[in-house]
Amino acid sequence: MIGVDLVIILVYVDNLLVTGSNLLLIQQVRKDLQEKFKMKDLGELKYFLGIESSRFQEVKDNDSDDVQIEEKGNCQRLVGRLMHLTMTRPYIAFVVHVLSQYMHVPKASHMESARRVVKYIKSTPGLGLFMPTGSCNQLIASCDSDWGAYVEVSHWICS
């Protein structure tokens, strides 16, 4: 629905995350909540449930300075390769799938965003899932249920 403002409130035990598409509406919701409940505003989001958050300029398809790419095949191939990487790096799936929505008419900002994803992947070589090449008759999945106290990337091991 185009033109509809959205406010999302994520609740986990005694933590709230208020986000949305309209800053004034977000501020009003936060003010209303603070009037009804005793709350402490921790400012801009840095971490929520152990997930680090950072703000970035979103991909836009209506920017007048953003020109259509002459050779769109390069951008399409790069995004296609990134889609294959989502199998071992699921945390890039969202941004890659957003980029894939623009591949019929890619613009310079889309190619720049894809390059930023590649740059991130190159700077974090140890964060992917390990999938060994040998014969694998048993799948063992491990998850750290107490991830707040013991930070370790979950991994899959085949034996």
Side-chain angles (χ1 to χ4, degrees):
M1 297 164 69
I2 298 174
V4 176
D5 291 326
L6 175 70
V7 173
I8 299 170
I9 303 173
L10 298 172
V11 181
Y12 183 76
V13 185
D14 61 349
N15 295 307
L16 294 176
L17 171 62
V18 182
T19 187
S21 61
N22 182 321
L23 183 59
L24 294 176
L25 191 55
I26 293 169
Q27 290 171 341
Q28 182 62 46
V29 168
R30 286 172 41 196
K31 181 180 172 220
D32 292 345
L33 286 169
Q34 287 174 342
E35 288 175 2
K36 297 274 186 190
F37 305 100
K38 183 179 177 184
M39 295 176 58
K40 182 174 161 183
D41 189 348
L42 299 176
E44 189 170 324
L45 179 67
K46 300 267 189 290
Y47 290 92
F48 187 72
L49 299 178
I51 300 171
E52 184 178 6
S53 173
S54 62
R55 300 186 89 183
F56 62 92
Q57 183 177 358
E58 293 182 13
V59 176
K60 298 179 183 176
D61 62 352
N62 60 354
D63 191 359
S64 60
D65 296 338
D66 198 8
V67 296
Q68 190 173 338
I69 295 175
E70 291 287 327
E71 182 56 49
K72 64 182 183 179
N74 290 338
C75 189
Q76 291 170 338
R77 278 188 293 279
L78 178 56
V79 172
R81 289 175 179 146
L82 289 173
M83 288 182 85
H84 286 288
L85 274 177
T86 62
M87 295 299 286
T88 57
R89 292 176 175 252
Y91 51 87
I92 66 168
F94 176 76
V95 71
V96 172
H97 289 286
V98 169
L99 282 171
S100 72
Q101 294 175 11
Y102 298 96
M103 287 302 98
H104 62 286
V105 184
K107 296 187 176 179
S109 65
H110 304 130
M111 187 63 165
E112 179 58 32
S113 295
R115 286 185 181 132
R116 287 177 59 196
V117 173
V118 171
K119 184 178 177 182
Y120 169 76
I121 290 168
K122 285 183 175 181
S123 69
T124 56
L127 291 183
L129 296 174
F130 175 67
M131 296 182 184
T133 58
S135 66
C136 183
N137 59 6
Q138 182 182 9
L139 176 65
I140 300 171
S142 65
C143 177
D144 184 4
S145 62
D146 188 20
W147 51 263
Y150 181 72
V151 180
E152 184 176 310
V153 178
S154 296
H155 58 281
W156 294 2
I157 302 172
C158 287
S159 57

